[in-house]
Amino acid sequence: MMDLSDGERHIRRVTNFQDLVTTPFKGEVNAICWARTLAGDFSEIVSKIALTGNITEVDPAELRALQLSEQGELAREVLLNDLQALKDHGASPVLNVIDHYDQDDTFPFFPTDVYSFHVDRSPIPTDTFLCTYYGDASDILPNAQGQQKILIPAIRAELEKLYHGPAEGFDSFLSEHFFDLHYQASPDARPISLGVGNLWRLAVDHPESQVPPCLHRAPREKSGQKRLLLIC
């Protein structure tokens, strides 16, 4: 187990699934990476999934029923093993083929979709796991390189214009609309790609957390490829 470069002190690397799920977040560390080079042709699986919209959930039974080449079978085995390992850990993983995510245009000056840097929140202790097997990978951002958008004066002023209730209810308004989960990267920010094949565990904002939640975002689909993503 080893730390990454000084610029990525919030990340810790591990070499197996057990360490991924048991290594505690502490200090600056709020992202843990099991870096992997995976065997198999994941693009074949993507090409054979019948899409039902911009996001298509892939059921394990559907995955097992696919007629695949030898390389496709290797990829399928990886996917099924990852799904089972996370289920055995008590998580509820979902495998998706993603063409694109819906973009939030409710408040044009403050989109709250997953393309924006954000944190995950839960009322109970939990973690976010994710792995991109094919397509563009997600990004994370060191907490020191992001600022909560609701604390930026110009943005907060615009939010106050939207709110028409008593002053003591403003914070609840921000939370109910998920504004408080989103962050703006600093001008010199250096987002870190999660890469393809790596299985990540990210810290979530919950009552018992000992570290700041991990800032992350979905990628813009610049490559034109559909994404094959496991998340829970």
Side-chain angles (χ1 to χ4, degrees):
M1 189 182 300
M2 59 177 288
D3 288 323
L4 298 181
S5 67
D6 288 343
E8 301 173 359
R9 288 178 177 171
H10 67 300
I11 300 172
R12 186 173 296 276
R13 284 188 184 273
V14 296
T15 58
N16 57 71
F17 182 81
Q18 185 63 22
D19 284 346
L20 177 72
V21 299
T22 60
T23 300
F25 295 122
K26 61 181 180 179
E28 296 179 71
V29 175
N30 64 2
I32 299 175
C33 172
W34 178 18
R36 310 182 295 179
T37 300
L38 301 179
D41 185 355
F42 294 91
S43 66
E44 181 183 359
I45 290 176
V46 171
S47 70
K48 292 193 174 183
I49 295 295
L51 304 183
T52 57
N54 55 315
I55 301 176
T56 302
E57 183 174 343
V58 183
D59 183 86
E62 178 184 6
L63 190 59
R64 292 187 182 94
L66 295 177
Q67 297 297 312
L68 300 169
S69 68
E70 182 178 345
Q71 288 299 306
E73 290 178 352
L74 289 175
R76 173 167 56 196
E77 182 177 0
V78 169
L79 296 173
L80 292 172
N81 287 343
D82 283 354
L83 288 166
Q84 190 61 53
L86 286 165
K87 287 179 181 177
D88 291 344
H89 176 62
S92 300
V94 175
L95 184 65
N96 290 325
V97 176
I98 301 167
D99 182 75
H100 65 279
Y101 290 101
D102 290 330
Q103 297 189 52
D104 174 29
D105 58 3
T106 306
F107 307 107
F109 75 96
F110 197 145
T112 57
D113 54 52
V114 294
Y115 293 115
S116 165
F117 276 114
H118 62 282
V119 300
D120 295 332
R121 175 178 294 153
S122 171
I124 60 174
T126 190
D127 304 309
T128 292
F129 291 90
L130 57 85
C131 177
T132 300
Y133 301 95
Y134 183 75
D136 300 308
S138 301
D139 294 322
I140 58 175
L141 187 71
N143 293 69
Q145 297 179 20
Q147 182 179 11
Q148 196 175 20
K149 286 185 175 182
I150 61 172
L151 299 181
I152 298 173
I155 292 178
R156 193 173 185 87
E158 290 298 317
L159 291 170
E160 288 173 347
K161 293 177 184 178
L162 296 175
Y163 179 65
H164 303 292
E168 61 270 20
F170 184 57
D171 287 343
S172 294
F173 164 77
L174 297 177
S175 179
E176 288 167 4
H177 292 276
F178 310 110
F179 292 125
D180 60 330
L181 300 182
H182 290 261
Y183 288 70
Q184 182 164 296
S186 61
D188 59 347
R190 299 180 64 183
I192 300 162
S193 172
L194 300 190
V196 173
N198 304 323
L199 184 54
W200 287 80
R201 175 174 153 234
L202 308 180
V204 170
D205 178 14
H206 63 75
E208 297 180 24
S209 179
Q210 301 299 307
V211 298
C214 185
L215 312 185
H216 60 286
R217 69 178 177 189
R220 298 287 179 181
E221 293 82 6
K222 296 179 179 179
S223 69
Q225 297 173 331
K226 293 177 175 59
R227 298 180 70 204
L228 182 59
L229 175 73
L230 180 152
I231 190 166
C232 58

